[in-house]
Amino acid sequence: MLDRKDYYDEAEAVVSWIDRYFSSLENMPVKSQVKPGDILEKLPKAMPEEGENISLIMSDLDRIILPGITHWQHPRFHAYFPANSSVESLLAEQITSAIGAQCMIWETSPAAAELEQRMMEWLRDAMGFPPGWEGVIQDTASTATLAAILTAREKATGFTSNEKGVPPGLRIYCSEETHSSIDKAVAIAGIGRQNLVKIAVNEDLSMSPHALKKVITKDLEDGLKPFCVVATIGTTGTLAVDPVEEIGSICEEFDLWLHVDAAYAGTALLLPEYRWMLPSTKHIDSFVFNPHKWMFTNFDCSVYFVKDRESLIRTFEILPEYLRTGSRGKVNDYRDWGIPLGRRFRSLKLWFVLRSYGLQGIQQKLRKHIKLNEYFRSQLLDIGHFILSYPSRLNFTSFQLKPDNVRLEEVELNDLNKRFLDLANVSGMCYITHTVVKQHFILRMVIGQTYVEKEHVDLVLKLFREIAGILVRETQT
């Protein structure tokens, strides 16, 4: 049993473990190689009757837990979108855990509330957003999007849905390529998935404004009530960018709430050269992006901006007597800005990251990742037998293995790329994922790890060349 006075001595073993972990990451398989149930079999079925020594726990961490970890901080992790961290963020996370504050209202830790407010202002200004926008840290983009949809629902129903229930006929719109969190949020919000309308996309997989307007007009003619549109900057499948300005004009015409999901690609708005993705913000009601994806901040940390804070607060505030304080109305009580009452001190790690890197330091890393992706794309095409599925965007490339001078049916081509994916991941040298677009099985490569270097990309390219050689030879025999 640990006493408080023992913390320093015991923590030394943990700090040393973390340092060794980062130093040895490159020697570990990126994706866990265990089979289902392997970890469970090694864990005792009941908790110990007496306390155990920290050295034994650390030993079992290496023996039992580590083999079952997929290493999201590995420099050759190129799957999904990253959940990248940094030493700076990790140090802040340790302090946050030590403080252990429950930051639901200003009174429970004034510094947490006021630091969060200032960090939102720093990011808002650095991304070129209007000074009237206000922000709050949510845990994930899924939660932020649910908050947006709930607020839009309340505004559309005169703030009666929370009291009387959700009326039938509400309609919400997004593209066919939008993240599945929209489907989930619509269900949770009581609107019903049948009232989520997936809009057709253009050739570049961005939402078609023409199709959107046509569907909204038809719904109105049928007596339904359109109330919200979700646009995406950087879809999960291919990083497609919806034409937010055109969509926004339609939302203004029909008085619809416009929420922009920029969970991953939104970080790129810190780069002036990528502000074309969001040329105007005048029609946007809410916006979310995740520093825990591509801004070197530990998961979880999602930044949610709103134009109309009063509608957000009116949707979520509830005031039992035990939460009444003398400071209410003078400060931001962020438990009224979203779904959970309990809130972690997430702004501390943002503060550490933003101060340690500075805006220029963050911009340099983002541009480095984008440049590494350009290098990867050109080298991949030089190998031969690879094609780009869609134009390479930011630090993301979607591609297929398609052997030259070999005719394959679509099913055969998909199977070939599934085999490529499996061989790449089982090698332990890297971790990539896929998507399916218009029945095409497409491979995805994201270069966004905090400490990724050209040498790591070269190792992946070498692996891809070897696997492609094996599979191409098989198709030619």
Side-chain angles (χ1 to χ4, degrees):
M1 183 81 107
L2 290 183
D3 216 34
R4 183 175 64 83
K5 68 180 184 299
D6 298 320
Y7 174 77
Y8 187 84
D9 290 336
E10 302 294 346
E12 188 174 5
V14 177
V15 172
S16 296
W17 186 95
I18 292 171
D19 187 58
R20 289 197 307 274
Y21 175 74
F22 277 114
S23 300
S24 59
L25 260 179
E26 294 186 43
N27 301 320
M28 300 182 194
V30 185
K31 186 176 183 295
S32 172
Q33 306 292 296
V34 303
K35 297 181 178 64
D38 282 356
I39 306 302
L40 202 58
E41 286 180 6
K42 296 177 183 177
L43 294 168
K45 292 184 178 180
M47 73 172 71
E49 290 292 332
E50 298 180 359
E52 298 179 340
N53 190 285
I54 191 70
S55 61
L56 177 60
I57 299 171
M58 295 300 294
S59 174
D60 283 348
L61 173 64
D62 286 328
R63 183 177 66 88
I64 301 174
I65 304 302
L66 203 57
I69 296 294
T70 289
H71 301 289
W72 284 69
Q73 306 311 315
H74 199 296
R76 294 194 301 278
F77 181 99
H78 303 293
Y80 304 107
F81 288 131
N84 60 18
S85 180
S86 62
V87 170
E88 294 81 0
S89 179
L90 174 60
L91 294 173
E93 193 71 82
Q94 291 174 313
I95 296 171
T96 298
S97 297
I99 292 172
Q102 215 284 36
C103 306
M104 54 188 174
I105 56 178
W106 182 89
E107 293 275 354
T108 58
S109 276
E114 296 188 15
L115 182 62
E116 184 163 344
Q117 178 179 336
R118 186 63 81 212
M119 292 305 95
M120 297 301 92
E121 292 167 355
W122 280 11
L123 286 171
R124 176 196 66 195
D125 296 344
M127 299 173 88
F129 292 155
W133 279 21
E134 296 191 60
V136 59
I137 301 176
Q138 308 281 8
D139 53 4
T140 63
S142 299
T143 301
T145 295
L146 175 57
I149 291 172
L150 289 170
T151 307
R153 183 199 72 185
E154 288 305 297
K155 195 168 183 182
T157 60
F159 295 91
T160 62
S161 295
N162 279 341
E163 295 295 328
K164 300 179 181 180
V166 182
L170 292 177
R171 302 283 270 184
I172 183 170
Y173 310 86
C174 66
S175 90
E176 295 172 344
E177 294 296 311
T178 304
H179 192 268
S180 60
S181 61
I182 312 303
D183 299 70
K184 190 172 185 178
V186 168
I188 294 170
I191 294 159
R193 290 196 183 108
Q194 290 184 353
N195 290 308
L196 174 61
V197 184
K198 301 287 182 77
I199 303 300
V201 294
N202 299 313
E203 281 298 311
D204 64 356
L205 301 184
S206 65
M207 187 194 298
S208 165
H210 173 75
L212 174 65
K213 186 170 183 177
K214 184 177 179 181
V215 171
I216 292 172
T217 301
K218 177 69 165 55
D219 279 351
L220 286 169
E221 290 172 355
D222 291 342
L224 300 170
K225 186 173 177 56
F227 79 102
C228 180
V229 176
V230 178
T232 305
I233 293 178
T235 59
T236 303
T238 63
L239 226 64
V241 177
D242 289 341
V244 177
E245 192 164 13
E246 293 176 67
I247 293 169
S249 295
I250 295 170
C251 289
E252 182 180 43
E253 179 181 349
F254 293 101
D255 192 23
L256 310 181
W257 184 283
L258 176 57
H259 174 62
V260 176
D261 177 0
Y264 180 69
T267 300
L269 295 175
L270 290 168
L271 302 174
E273 63 266 32
Y274 283 95
R275 300 270 172 84
W276 60 265
M277 297 191 299
L278 196 67
S280 172
T281 59
K282 64 181 179 178
H283 301 306
I284 297 173
D285 293 287
S286 54
F287 176 97
V288 62
F289 88 103
N290 292 340
H292 69 231
K293 278 193 168 74
W294 195 24
M295 211 183 77
F296 327 123
T297 306
N298 283 58
F299 183 86
D300 52 15
C301 183
S302 188
V303 170
Y304 178 56
F305 289 112
V306 291
K307 185 194 309 186
D308 176 11
R309 60 172 272 176
E310 296 308 319
S311 291
L312 175 68
I313 294 172
R314 189 173 174 185
T315 298
F316 292 105
E317 71 176 342
I318 188 166
L319 189 58
E321 185 59 38
Y322 53 79
L323 288 179
R324 292 183 186 276
T325 64
S327 61
R328 186 166 180 81
K330 303 174 186 176
V331 295
N332 288 337
D333 288 328
Y334 284 116
R335 59 106 181 174
D336 292 328
W337 292 52
I339 295 159
L341 170 63
R343 307 185 78 252
R344 298 183 68 243
F345 189 7
R346 295 184 181 94
S347 58
L348 189 70
K349 57 191 173 187
L350 262 182
W351 189 49
F352 268 54
V353 170
L354 295 179
R355 290 188 65 187
S356 297
Y357 281 94
L359 178 58
Q360 290 185 3
I362 293 172
Q363 290 172 332
Q364 287 171 5
K365 269 207 175 286
L366 298 180
R367 289 181 177 124
K368 178 180 180 177
H369 293 168
I370 293 168
K371 198 162 197 175
L372 282 173
N373 183 62
E374 293 170 354
Y375 170 75
F376 168 79
R377 178 191 62 209
S378 65
Q379 294 297 305
L380 183 75
L381 295 177
D382 284 349
I383 292 173
H385 306 295
F386 286 103
I387 61 168
L388 298 183
S389 304
Y390 291 93
S392 188
R393 298 175 173 124
L394 295 175
N395 59 336
F396 171 89
T397 298
S398 59
F399 62 98
Q400 282 183 304
L401 175 64
K402 190 173 184 180
D404 300 334
N405 305 317
V406 177
R407 182 176 178 79
L408 295 174
E409 300 296 329
E410 190 61 44
V411 173
E412 295 174 310
L413 188 62
N414 284 346
D415 287 342
L416 183 70
N417 280 274
K418 288 176 187 176
R419 288 192 62 203
F420 182 95
L421 178 73
D422 291 340
L423 289 172
N425 289 339
V426 80
S427 73
M429 285 294 294
C430 73
Y431 186 20
I432 60 172
T433 47
H434 78 282
T435 189
V436 175
V437 179
K438 299 177 181 177
Q439 299 182 325
H440 302 313
F441 190 93
I442 293 171
L443 303 169
R444 302 169 70 261
M445 175 79 172
V446 186
I447 303 175
Q449 288 308 103
T450 307
Y451 305 116
V452 65
E453 299 290 345
K454 177 177 174 290
E455 65 196 65
H456 304 122
V457 177
D458 282 335
L459 284 172
V460 174
L461 285 164
K462 181 175 182 290
L463 175 68
F464 285 6
R465 183 180 292 107
E466 292 170 356
I467 296 173
I470 294 169
L471 295 180
V472 169
R473 283 193 294 273
E474 287 181 6
T475 64
Q476 292 173 339
T477 57

